[in-house]
Amino acid sequence: MEKAIEFLLNRFPALRNRLDEHMLEVINGAAVALVLKVLGAGLTFLFNLVLARALGAEGAGLYFLALTVTTIATVFGRMGLDNTLLRFTAASASVNDWSAVKSVYMKGMKLALIASFLSAVMVFVFAPVLTDKVFQKPELIVPMRWMSLAVVPMTFVILHAQVLKGLKRIRDSFIVFGVGVPAISLTALLLLGGRYGVKGAVWAYASGAIIAGLSGVILWYVATPQLRKVSTSLRTNDLLKSSMPLFWVASLNTMINWMATFALGVWGTKEEVGLFSMASRTAMLTSLILTSVNSISAPKFAELYKKKDMTALGATARNTAKLMTLISSPLLFLFLIAPQWVMGLFGGEFRKGGILLSILAIGQFVNVATGSVGNLLMMSGNEKLMRNNVALVAVMSILLSVVLVPIYGSLGAVIATAVCLSLQNLIAAYMVKSSLGINTLSWR
């Protein structure tokens, strides 16, 4: 991939002259990430396709409700440590402070193990209350309890993906999270899904999480042989001081992303949950380039901010926003002109979700066009600004979901989701401009 990019830059020297060393590093890393991300997205899409065709809209709805609860539990298990570990690892590794890297890793993983185990126990114990009293779907209790087994391994999958990013091991990071989980889950689903229904789909996901989590631990130790000879130095309080604001950011972000699904579980039907969930995951393909660029831009932002090179930081942020917008445009166009055809790939009963896909895709496009503004805030020590932004949008998400979902069902859910996603990133872009003096929306 690097050779291909080098070939293009040699063919177009004017383009090379417009890119500094930091942007070239972002492009090289993002290209690798994009290839793996596309592979992972394709596997995830196939997983959802097999899931939808095997279980139908109602069965998929039950699966995604169980996944929603597990995802929320995983957020509590991470304690906001994912972005903290990324930030500290990237900043410390850039100056070869391996003692700090080891301290962050060891203390972060110990805290996450305790918190994620407690979260998994809570899901298992309170599953009857959630399924009977909240969702009023008693048939959900068995899938939810099996899904609780994925809380601890998924916590470790996400955290190891982040620390590997901090070392700029982009390939390893995406193998663990972007490719490993969907690849293993898809294989297991093909073997179990049709025979065991929703329970089989849950087993497939849990299997992917467990195997990918173990892979993440192995890849970390392979990547860091130098850590065996250094001692730890970072205090736990220093780690928690950064992670607590980010914990609230992650928690509130999860509320924003999953509030509509949760509301549909309470006021909607299993079919509406299935339609909305499939449309939401398909629309997220629009932001595929965003997650690919973020994988390398986040540690680069942390590095440049630590070095106080604000000129390079601003240029890198603006150029990545341009790059992401241009690449995402064709997919958005497809979701706007042929949404029924795209949703019909999951089965005839999903075609009615075409309008849901179009609305969600617009929200995702705004997310891409504003650039990596969330990462800019978090990697520059402005965790509290990001927390305040997300808190405001989370309140709006609750209000919109409570008002719109009971009346309009899945259509109300997508409107609430798209509005909140767009607003969150526009506010973050304003915060980046006011606090760092960087305008990611400027194409000049």
Side-chain angles (χ1 to χ4, degrees), residues 9 12-21 23-24 27 315 319 322 443-444:
L9 292 175
F12 301 98
L15 177 60
R16 180 188 289 275
N17 294 334
R18 292 180 61 86
L19 301 174
D20 59 20
E21 59 177 306
M23 194 60 199
L24 287 171
I27 290 176
N319 287 330
K322 297 176 191 176
W443 279 53
R444 291 179 299 174

Tab-separated table of all heavy atoms in Angstrom, residues 9 12-21 23-24 27 315 319 322 443-444:
chain	number	residue	atom	x	y	z
A	9	LEU	N	2.287	9.671	-5.707
A	9	LEU	CA	2.910	10.951	-5.377
A	9	LEU	C	4.037	11.294	-6.347
A	9	LEU	O	4.256	12.472	-6.662
A	9	LEU	CB	3.431	10.908	-3.939
A	9	LEU	CG	2.350	10.834	-2.848
A	9	LEU	CD1	2.998	10.671	-1.482
A	9	LEU	CD2	1.465	12.073	-2.866
A	12	PHE	N	2.436	12.625	-9.450
A	12	PHE	CA	1.827	13.952	-9.267
A	12	PHE	C	2.644	14.736	-8.240
A	12	PHE	O	2.256	14.846	-7.073
A	12	PHE	CB	0.373	13.821	-8.810
A	12	PHE	CG	-0.498	13.053	-9.770
A	12	PHE	CD1	-0.769	11.704	-9.558
A	12	PHE	CD2	-1.028	13.668	-10.886
A	12	PHE	CE1	-1.557	10.992	-10.437
A	12	PHE	CE2	-1.825	12.964	-11.778
A	12	PHE	CZ	-2.086	11.620	-11.562
A	13	PRO	N	3.787	15.262	-8.632
A	13	PRO	CA	4.659	15.978	-7.693
A	13	PRO	C	3.999	17.198	-7.066
A	13	PRO	O	4.337	17.586	-5.951
A	13	PRO	CB	5.860	16.373	-8.566
A	13	PRO	CG	5.368	16.295	-9.976
A	13	PRO	CD	4.351	15.210	-9.993
A	14	ALA	N	3.045	17.814	-7.785
A	14	ALA	CA	2.359	18.976	-7.209
A	14	ALA	C	1.584	18.582	-5.957
A	14	ALA	O	1.497	19.350	-4.988
A	14	ALA	CB	1.419	19.590	-8.245
A	15	LEU	N	1.034	17.364	-5.982
A	15	LEU	CA	0.303	16.876	-4.812
A	15	LEU	C	1.262	16.650	-3.649
A	15	LEU	O	0.967	17.010	-2.509
A	15	LEU	CB	-0.423	15.577	-5.154
A	15	LEU	CG	-1.193	14.894	-4.009
A	15	LEU	CD1	-2.270	15.813	-3.469
A	15	LEU	CD2	-1.801	13.579	-4.496
A	16	ARG	N	2.427	16.082	-3.931
A	16	ARG	CA	3.412	15.862	-2.867
A	16	ARG	C	3.826	17.190	-2.232
A	16	ARG	O	4.003	17.276	-1.009
A	16	ARG	CB	4.638	15.148	-3.427
A	16	ARG	CG	5.713	14.874	-2.376
A	16	ARG	CD	6.985	14.351	-3.032
A	16	ARG	NE	6.813	12.999	-3.522
A	16	ARG	CZ	6.970	11.916	-2.760
A	16	ARG	NH1	7.276	12.046	-1.477
A	16	ARG	NH2	6.801	10.724	-3.269
A	17	ASN	N	3.984	18.217	-3.052
A	17	ASN	CA	4.417	19.506	-2.529
A	17	ASN	C	3.385	20.135	-1.604
A	17	ASN	O	3.719	20.985	-0.771
A	17	ASN	CB	4.729	20.463	-3.685
A	17	ASN	CG	5.940	20.000	-4.493
A	17	ASN	OD1	6.803	19.294	-3.980
A	17	ASN	ND2	5.986	20.387	-5.774
A	18	ARG	N	2.122	19.747	-1.770
A	18	ARG	CA	1.061	20.327	-0.936
A	18	ARG	C	0.906	19.585	0.381
A	18	ARG	O	0.146	20.021	1.250
A	18	ARG	CB	-0.276	20.300	-1.698
A	18	ARG	CG	-0.321	21.237	-2.891
A	18	ARG	CD	-1.679	21.146	-3.573
A	18	ARG	NE	-2.752	21.532	-2.687
A	18	ARG	CZ	-3.172	22.781	-2.502
A	18	ARG	NH1	-2.573	23.760	-3.144
A	18	ARG	NH2	-4.163	23.056	-1.686
A	19	LEU	N	1.593	18.471	0.533
A	19	LEU	CA	1.443	17.655	1.734
A	19	LEU	C	2.722	17.697	2.555
A	19	LEU	O	3.818	17.467	2.036
A	19	LEU	CB	1.124	16.203	1.356
A	19	LEU	CG	-0.152	15.994	0.532
A	19	LEU	CD1	-0.249	14.531	0.111
A	19	LEU	CD2	-1.380	16.396	1.320
A	20	ASP	N	2.583	17.975	3.871
A	20	ASP	CA	3.752	17.950	4.734
A	20	ASP	C	3.980	16.529	5.242
A	20	ASP	O	3.230	15.601	4.950
A	20	ASP	CB	3.598	18.942	5.897
A	20	ASP	CG	2.384	18.652	6.759
A	20	ASP	OD1	1.875	17.499	6.725
A	20	ASP	OD2	1.931	19.555	7.478
A	21	GLU	N	5.040	16.343	6.020
A	21	GLU	CA	5.399	15.003	6.483
A	21	GLU	C	4.324	14.399	7.369
A	21	GLU	O	4.106	13.171	7.361
A	21	GLU	CB	6.715	15.065	7.268
A	21	GLU	CG	6.652	15.986	8.495
A	21	GLU	CD	7.947	15.962	9.288
A	21	GLU	OE1	8.381	14.850	9.654
A	21	GLU	OE2	8.502	17.045	9.536
A	23	MET	N	0.988	14.970	7.193
A	23	MET	CA	-0.139	14.539	6.383
A	23	MET	C	0.216	13.294	5.581
A	23	MET	O	-0.623	12.402	5.389
A	23	MET	CB	-0.577	15.676	5.451
A	23	MET	CG	-1.937	15.433	4.815
A	23	MET	SD	-3.233	15.254	6.052
A	23	MET	CE	-4.505	14.441	5.068
A	24	LEU	N	1.470	13.200	5.116
A	24	LEU	CA	1.897	11.998	4.412
A	24	LEU	C	1.826	10.778	5.318
A	24	LEU	O	1.432	9.686	4.890
A	24	LEU	CB	3.325	12.183	3.887
A	24	LEU	CG	3.489	13.118	2.680
A	24	LEU	CD1	4.968	13.373	2.404
A	24	LEU	CD2	2.805	12.528	1.451
A	27	ILE	N	-1.824	9.836	5.634
A	27	ILE	CA	-2.337	9.185	4.430
A	27	ILE	C	-1.844	7.747	4.346
A	27	ILE	O	-2.608	6.826	4.036
A	27	ILE	CB	-1.929	9.980	3.176
A	27	ILE	CG1	-2.696	11.308	3.125
A	27	ILE	CG2	-2.188	9.173	1.916
A	27	ILE	CD1	-2.294	12.210	1.983
A	315	ALA	N	-3.104	22.129	10.122
A	315	ALA	CA	-3.051	21.723	8.717
A	315	ALA	C	-3.458	20.263	8.564
A	315	ALA	O	-4.211	19.912	7.640
A	315	ALA	CB	-1.642	21.937	8.173
A	319	ASN	N	-6.766	19.041	6.408
A	319	ASN	CA	-6.560	18.187	5.235
A	319	ASN	C	-7.250	16.831	5.375
A	319	ASN	O	-7.765	16.282	4.400
A	319	ASN	CB	-5.063	17.992	4.997
A	319	ASN	CG	-4.396	19.234	4.440
A	319	ASN	OD1	-5.030	20.013	3.725
A	319	ASN	ND2	-3.136	19.440	4.772
A	322	LYS	N	-10.950	17.304	4.538
A	322	LYS	CA	-11.175	17.360	3.094
A	322	LYS	C	-11.131	15.954	2.484
A	322	LYS	O	-11.992	15.577	1.680
A	322	LYS	CB	-10.112	18.223	2.424
A	322	LYS	CG	-10.086	19.678	2.831
A	322	LYS	CD	-8.920	20.365	2.147
A	322	LYS	CE	-8.677	21.766	2.710
A	322	LYS	NZ	-7.494	22.391	2.101
A	443	TRP	N	-12.014	25.007	3.727
A	443	TRP	CA	-11.382	24.276	2.624
A	443	TRP	C	-10.348	25.143	1.900
A	443	TRP	O	-9.843	24.776	0.861
A	443	TRP	CB	-12.448	23.801	1.626
A	443	TRP	CG	-13.125	22.555	2.090
A	443	TRP	CD1	-13.727	22.337	3.287
A	443	TRP	CD2	-13.243	21.335	1.337
A	443	TRP	NE1	-14.231	21.063	3.353
A	443	TRP	CE2	-13.953	20.425	2.168
A	443	TRP	CE3	-12.835	20.914	0.072
A	443	TRP	CZ2	-14.259	19.137	1.758
A	443	TRP	CZ3	-13.146	19.633	-0.329
A	443	TRP	CH2	-13.847	18.752	0.514
A	444	ARG	N	-10.013	26.278	2.494
A	444	ARG	CA	-9.019	27.143	1.849
A	444	ARG	C	-7.626	26.610	2.102
A	444	ARG	O	-7.343	26.141	3.205
A	444	ARG	CB	-9.147	28.567	2.414
A	444	ARG	CG	-10.424	29.277	1.995
A	444	ARG	CD	-10.493	30.653	2.611
A	444	ARG	NE	-10.502	30.590	4.080
A	444	ARG	CZ	-10.442	31.633	4.868
A	444	ARG	NH1	-10.302	32.829	4.338
A	444	ARG	NH2	-10.490	31.509	6.170
